[in-house]
Amino acid sequence: MAAPKGGYFGRILVIDLTNRKTSERKVSDDDFRKYIGGCGMGAYLLYSALKKGHDPLAEDSPVFIGTGPLNGTSCVSTRMSVVNKSPHTGLLSHAEVGGHFANEIKWAGWDGIYITGRSRKPVMLFIKDSEVKFIDARDIWGKDTEESEELVLREVGDPDAKVALIGPAGENEVSFAALIVERSRAAARTGTGALMGNKKLKAVAVRGTRAVPTVDVKKAYRAMEDAKKLAVEREGWQGIKRYGTANLLEMKHYGSGSLITKNFQTTWWPAIDNLGAEEAARTFWKKHTACSNCPVHCMKTGVIRGGKYDGLIAEGPEYETGGLLGSNLGLTEFGGMMACIEMADAMGLDAISAGGVLGFTMECVQRGVLSAKDLDGVDLKFGNADAAVEMLRKIAYKDGKAGKLLARGVKRMSEEIGKGSEAWAVHTKGKEIAAHDPRGDKGRGPSYAMGTCGGDHHEGGDPKTLARWAMINSLTICSFVGGYPWGKETPKVFIDMLNPLCGWNMSDDEYWTTAKRIITLERCFQVREGVRRKQDILPKRFTTEKLPEGPKKGAVYTEEDTRKMQDSVYAYFGWDDDGIPTDATLTSLGLDFAMADMQAARKA
Amino acid sequence: MKKDDENVGKALDKETTRRGFLKGAGAAAGFVVATTAIGGIRPPLAQAQQPKPVMKYLFVERQNCTGCRACEYACSMAHEGVVRPAASRIHVRKYKGIVDVPVICHHCDDAPCIAACPLDPPAIRKDPETNGIILDSETCLGSNCLRCQEACPAQFIRVHPDTGTPLMCDMCGGDPECVKACAQQATDPLAPCLWAGAGGAGVNMSFRKVTPDQAAKDLINQMYYPNTDGKRR
Ligand code: SF4
Ligand code: SF4
Ligand code: SF4
């Protein structure tokens, strides 16, 4: 089991919060080559660490923050993948997030951080190269993410440190609480915030001073430079430089007919002119912000001047936050949408799940199933931004009857409320879905229904893109740098960088086999938890209600579409008719260790 | 040198290691060869049709900074042979998640850093050709001294994580790598954040008095004109 030669340090930092101890887990070059890093390495570590039915909020439940081989090199690799068993869905989940945090982990000489245990008192970590400090965080506990980040930076005393932390939502163990990185980026779709809150871990700060070992610097860096050029020059991505993802709000309304609106009742929302990128550029944005080395700088920050929200400084909108907390709530005014987005960031909530929950509740109100009386007097009607802002705060604190109810998420809410509300309970595998209506944009169907974690937009639209994205999330590359712009050249662009970086001789075939191994292992985890064909579906609304208006008027995601999607994915990855990986597939991918579990699942 | 640095250094030409680099830095010609040989990523200066004018000053248009740190990447690649922001001369600080402040050397006409050096001759000197600050790592007292760091009004000087000696900006022989990297990142090709100039125009002398913290306050006031109570909402 040789140590890695380049791209990796060959060690993962293991934190035991119960005993305030740290240790180092060695990982061989072979294992990295098989699982790459990020979500792939996370699946490998968690599959063996956990048994079927393990309580996501148990003391020994791990959170893995995984980097990839390209982080910290001259490649534009900015993301990390946060992997844990989600307390929201009970399934293996991963969330990718950018910024500088991932690269600082690498420069500190680690390939990832594996956190287990539970502290008795609020604590934070400061990782400076090989040194790890446990710092009392009692004074920071309870503060929103804005104030917390300032306090954490002051506490660690290193202005170059980068911080990931939780807000009140995480502290109160809201099952869709996010991990907030560098104030406004979120690893959100995993319920990681709740795990950290449960572990009493408020924040992790990291600072590294080393360099990533590289086997052939000249060759690797040249390939990375070429890849970066490709990302900058490719037509279509210039729009992201200018508008971030916000202009998808207009695009999905006018063009693809997939802008989610009023809890997925329609995709046509003319008020989008007041919420989208053009409005933001004209009245709000002050600055572009980028992750490490990234020429795309998709993140925008701005300030509202005039009107009710005068003085509001916030980041966004992105397509997801603007969709879920804008058109989805039937909002018509920019300031109100930004107030919701900023509230979700400040509280440390997953803006997608939170938006889904609010939209669902608003529809319950619309249909007379819930009223202000049931909601602590909050008038949660479509279009009422103030009510939405107030409710986001209540969710984060599980405040009152309404806060407790909404903090449960759409699936559990509708089970509790009943009264036919399942019809508009939009989730897959228990997770609220992202901002692309799959009736207008059919390619999103597989991402929501077949993607590992359910309801995510970052998983890919057909079997091959599912595989592609498994690699992108393991290599921890951003969609807007490597995911889309390098699309046609995948896997060549990656292999050209990886081989000289790591001293490998990876071929195209090996690349795709690795992708299949990662997805299949993730699938094994979910199958062990009970996921089968009958869970690989889209919410009922998409298969029964036609889009009432807009460019894709009349579109519906048919049962036939669903069946085809399932069959093609199972066939491509070598899973049986119920979506369980076959023995032959497991053997060919070197996953024999999962065979007994899969055989048991087949009998169950 | 740590083990991983040796590992990466192996693959590079000899003169691109930090030590070799510093030796070559004395003669302007040797300097150019050294920088351009690094990774061979950017076209060698020698091949340019028109010789570029020698740049002697850096300027920063702070509100244009995206906080991407490509300048740190480029600086460390040029001086360390690898991406290693902790050893970059230029460094970028983020404040409150909304503004970024690149911290540069202003190549002060009176160079308080050099004046503060207790050695005779000082371990740092200005290259008369490029205005770059050149460090003699053999004589520098490093972490035992760091008077230069205290003297720098811009709070530019950080120390090398391995050697403890100050990280001085040598202007990359008159063709700053950070400036080129920034141009590639710019939102608007006409409006990058970093600039280089052949003259300081006196601006460098007043600009240097602005500490990073002060610059951040100014940026927040100028760009976001926040509420007087400092609250974000
Ligand atoms: S800015 Fe600082 S390091 Fe640069 S010349 Fe002036 S005193 Fe020296
Ligand atoms: S001019 Fe050269 S040495 Fe100075 S900060 Fe820029 S890249 Fe670094
Ligand atoms: S390269 Fe330019 S935009 Fe990027 S951090 Fe440096 S100064 Fe700012």
Side-chain angles (χ1 to χ4, degrees):
Chain A
M1 286 306 202
K5 295 194 282 291
Y8 302 95
F9 287 89
R11 53 181 204 153
I12 287 167
L13 175 61
V14 180
I15 309 267
D16 172 358
L17 290 167
T18 307
N19 302 305
R20 296 208 167 201
K21 280 216 175 84
T22 64
S23 56
E24 173 179 321
R25 176 175 172 151
K26 296 244 184 270
V27 182
S28 70
D29 192 46
D30 278 1
D31 281 347
F32 275 119
R33 195 158 165 173
K34 277 176 84 178
Y35 303 103
I36 302 293
C39 78
M41 185 49 72
Y44 175 60
L45 295 175
L46 266 69
Y47 189 88
S48 25
L50 301 180
K51 296 247 175 331
K52 176 186 166 80
H54 192 97
D55 175 6
L57 292 179
E59 184 173 337
D60 62 349
S61 287
V63 173
F64 177 60
I65 301 178
T67 68
L70 297 160
N71 282 124
T73 70
S74 76
C75 173
V76 187
S77 173
T78 57
R79 284 193 175 173
M80 59 196 193
S81 187
V82 180
V83 189
N84 54 255
K85 193 171 178 193
S86 164
H88 195 50
T89 62
L91 298 176
L92 178 72
S93 295
H94 60 85
E96 285 67 42
V97 61
H100 303 277
F101 194 87
N103 289 350
E104 291 292 343
I105 294 177
K106 280 297 275 293
W107 294 323
W110 302 101
D111 298 309
I113 310 173
Y114 185 92
I115 304 166
T116 66
R118 185 186 292 144
S119 173
R120 274 192 306 278
K121 291 183 190 128
V123 70
M124 55 184 260
L125 299 170
F126 180 37
I127 302 163
K128 168 103 192 266
D129 294 331
S130 290
E131 193 192 324
V132 183
K133 273 200 203 126
F134 292 78
I135 304 173
D136 186 341
R138 276 177 294 181
D139 293 344
I140 309 175
W141 198 258
K143 304 276 193 299
D144 71 20
T145 59
E146 160 94 352
E147 228 186 317
S148 299
E149 167 140 346
E150 292 293 302
L151 292 171
V152 170
L153 281 173
R154 198 179 308 159
E155 191 68 41
V156 302
D158 184 339
D160 292 324
K162 300 294 171 188
V163 182
L165 49 68
I166 59 169
E171 295 171 7
N172 295 310
E173 298 180 30
V174 174
S175 59
F176 49 92
L179 175 68
I180 301 284
V181 178
E182 294 157 49
R183 184 57 185 85
S184 31
R185 301 170 194 277
R189 308 245 61 212
T190 39
T192 306
L195 263 88
M196 286 190 40
N198 182 276
K199 295 181 177 313
K200 292 273 185 298
L201 177 58
K202 175 73 181 177
V204 183
V206 59
R207 169 91 205 286
T209 69
R210 301 173 67 180
V212 177
T214 304
V215 171
D216 185 339
V217 174
K218 231 181 216 177
K219 231 172 146 181
Y221 280 23
R222 189 169 297 128
M224 290 163 185
E225 185 75 6
D226 289 347
K228 183 173 173 182
K229 280 215 183 83
L230 205 58
V232 181
E233 283 161 10
R234 191 133 282 181
E235 266 297 314
W237 298 101
Q238 300 304 323
I240 304 266
K241 272 178 95 91
R242 181 75 189 88
Y243 292 121
T245 56
N247 74 319
L248 299 181
L249 289 165
E250 284 104 327
M251 200 240 267
K252 309 265 164 173
H253 165 80
Y254 287 112
S256 60
S258 57
L259 174 72
I260 59 159
T261 304
K262 291 192 168 180
N263 196 37
F264 306 87
Q265 295 185 64
T266 175
T267 61
W268 185 248
W269 192 244
I272 205 68
D273 289 349
N274 305 334
L275 305 175
E278 212 22 73
E279 176 76 15
R282 207 160 47 79
T283 67
F284 179 67
W285 286 334
K286 297 288 173 226
K287 188 177 165 317
H288 305 274
T289 300
C291 302
S292 297
N293 194 22
C294 179
V296 180
H297 49 70
C298 70
M299 190 171 129
K300 321 288 170 200
T301 47
V303 64
I304 303 261
R305 276 303 168 198
K308 204 163 158 187
Y309 303 99
D310 187 42
L312 175 82
I313 296 172
E315 183 276 326
E318 298 86 10
Y319 178 63
E320 299 301 330
T321 56
L324 264 308
L325 295 171
S327 54
N328 182 49
L329 307 186
L331 302 191
T332 53
E333 197 269 320
F334 191 82
M337 173 184 69
M338 289 316 302
C340 288
I341 293 174
E342 169 60 17
M343 187 53 110
D345 282 352
M347 292 294 109
L349 282 165
D350 171 3
I352 297 180
S353 281
V357 164
L358 291 178
F360 169 78
T361 313
M362 285 172 167
E363 190 164 349
C364 289
V365 172
Q366 175 193 328
R367 297 187 187 276
V369 165
L370 289 176
S371 69
K373 226 172 51 239
D374 307 301
L375 299 170
D376 302 341
V378 180
D379 183 23
L380 202 61
K381 281 205 194 72
F382 281 118
N384 189 348
D386 289 344
V389 171
E390 169 60 7
M391 198 52 92
L392 286 167
R393 195 195 58 79
K394 284 173 88 70
I395 293 171
Y397 288 97
K398 293 189 176 167
D399 175 39
K401 210 169 113 193
K404 284 188 194 70
L405 175 69
L406 270 70
R408 299 167 65 83
V410 167
K411 178 169 182 273
R412 281 179 226 140
M413 275 179 84
S414 84
E415 284 163 6
E416 198 173 311
I417 295 165
K419 300 185 184 163
S421 64
E422 316 81 60
W424 61 89
V426 177
H427 65 85
T428 49
K429 300 188 172 90
K431 188 149 79 184
E432 296 72 19
I433 76 167
H436 313 258
D437 194 308
R439 287 168 293 185
D441 181 357
K442 292 230 161 143
R444 299 288 170 167
S447 182
Y448 294 149
M450 308 304 308
T452 295
C453 332
D456 285 352
H457 53 297
H458 267 285
E459 307 258 4
D462 55 56
K464 188 125 186 182
T465 35
L466 282 164
R468 222 172 86 196
W469 248 266
M471 285 305 273
I472 281 158
N473 292 336
S474 301
L475 288 160
T476 60
I477 295 283
C478 174
S479 303
F480 303 126
V481 176
Y484 297 106
W486 298 343
K488 286 192 217 108
E489 285 78 8
T490 314
K492 186 176 182 311
V493 181
F494 289 109
I495 291 175
D496 285 353
M497 294 189 280
L498 285 174
N499 284 344
L501 172 67
C502 306
W504 293 347
N505 55 353
M506 186 182 259
S507 64
D508 276 26
D509 273 357
E510 184 184 336
Y511 185 91
W512 292 117
T513 307
T514 309
K516 287 182 182 173
R517 178 181 305 118
I518 289 168
I519 290 218
T520 300
L521 182 56
E522 288 176 344
R523 179 72 180 183
C524 290
F525 194 110
Q526 312 301 47
V527 165
R528 196 167 63 176
E529 298 297 331
V531 171
R532 303 284 188 279
R533 188 190 277 266
K534 65 177 187 298
Q535 279 89 5
D536 292 338
I537 50 166
L538 289 170
K540 203 160 137 209
R541 171 157 273 176
F542 301 142
T543 52
T544 54
E545 293 174 32
K546 289 187 175 149
L547 282 179
E549 58 202 332
K552 296 281 169 69
K553 187 170 185 237
V556 72
Y557 207 95
T558 62
E559 302 286 342
E560 176 66 14
D561 287 339
T562 304
R563 177 120 212 131
K564 265 200 210 137
M565 156 182 88
Q566 293 166 337
D567 288 345
S568 66
V569 170
Y570 299 165
Y572 183 81
F573 291 108
W575 307 343
D576 71 12
D577 198 47
D578 209 14
I580 303 174
T582 65
D583 289 359
T585 300
L586 294 175
T587 302
S588 73
L589 297 173
L591 297 175
D592 298 82
F593 59 84
M595 202 177 282
D597 284 341
M598 292 308 101
Q599 284 165 355
R602 211 168 279 119
K603 278 191 210 110
Chain B
M1 260 197 182
K2 291 229 178 81
K3 209 156 177 236
D4 46 304
D5 301 334
E6 273 162 26
N7 195 4
V8 290
K10 257 198 319 224
L12 288 170
D13 302 337
K14 206 166 159 240
E15 60 279 350
T16 61
T17 61
R18 205 159 45 80
R19 219 175 299 267
F21 180 85
L22 289 166
K23 277 195 201 113
F31 189 89
V32 168
V33 171
T35 38
T36 52
I38 289 154
I41 288 160
R42 296 195 169 77
L45 208 59
Q47 278 170 22
Q49 296 294 55
Q50 225 58 85
K52 270 199 193 173
V54 171
M55 293 300 173
K56 300 179 90 161
Y57 296 93
L58 292 177
F59 299 98
V60 51
E61 192 80 64
R62 293 191 190 108
Q63 69 269 31
N64 289 348
C65 179
T66 68
C68 69
R69 301 167 80 189
C71 48
E72 296 182 5
Y73 276 54
C75 184
S76 59
M77 270 201 271
H79 296 84
E80 309 284 317
V82 283
V83 171
R84 193 180 184 193
S88 164
R89 281 68 179 148
I90 188 170
H91 48 108
V92 184
R93 294 245 156 99
K94 190 177 281 298
Y95 287 87
K96 292 183 181 275
I98 52 174
V99 292
D100 296 283
V101 178
V103 188
I104 59 168
C105 170
H106 298 279
H107 303 94
C108 313
D109 299 348
D110 54 356
C113 51
I114 298 177
C117 182
L119 297 177
D120 188 20
I124 36 179
R125 62 182 177 83
K126 250 190 192 179
D127 183 321
E129 186 84 12
T130 65
N131 225 15
I133 313 285
I134 312 295
L135 173 85
D136 183 346
S137 56
E138 303 293 324
T139 61
C140 175
L141 303 170
S143 47
N144 296 323
C145 170
L146 293 179
R147 299 256 174 89
C148 54
Q149 194 182 33
E150 280 164 35
C152 174
Q155 295 178 6
F156 165 73
I157 303 173
R158 300 190 302 172
V159 295
H160 194 285
D162 296 342
T163 61
T165 51
L167 290 162
M168 307 305 290
C169 167
D170 58 23
M171 281 303 283
C172 297
D175 186 20
E177 292 296 328
C178 53
V179 173
K180 288 185 277 183
C182 187
Q184 196 188 14
Q185 306 294 100
T187 321
D188 171 351
L190 298 176
C193 174
L194 293 175
W195 297 81
V203 178
N204 62 320
M205 292 297 286
S206 52
F207 215 135
R208 67 174 180 172
K209 293 173 192 147
V210 185
T211 62
D213 287 4
Q214 184 58 46
K217 274 192 202 125
D218 295 345
L219 276 180
I220 291 174
N221 282 331
Q222 175 203 350
M223 296 170 81
Y224 299 89
Y225 24 99
N227 294 331
T228 40
D229 64 1
K231 286 266 187 290
R232 193 155 163 168
R233 46 180 183 276

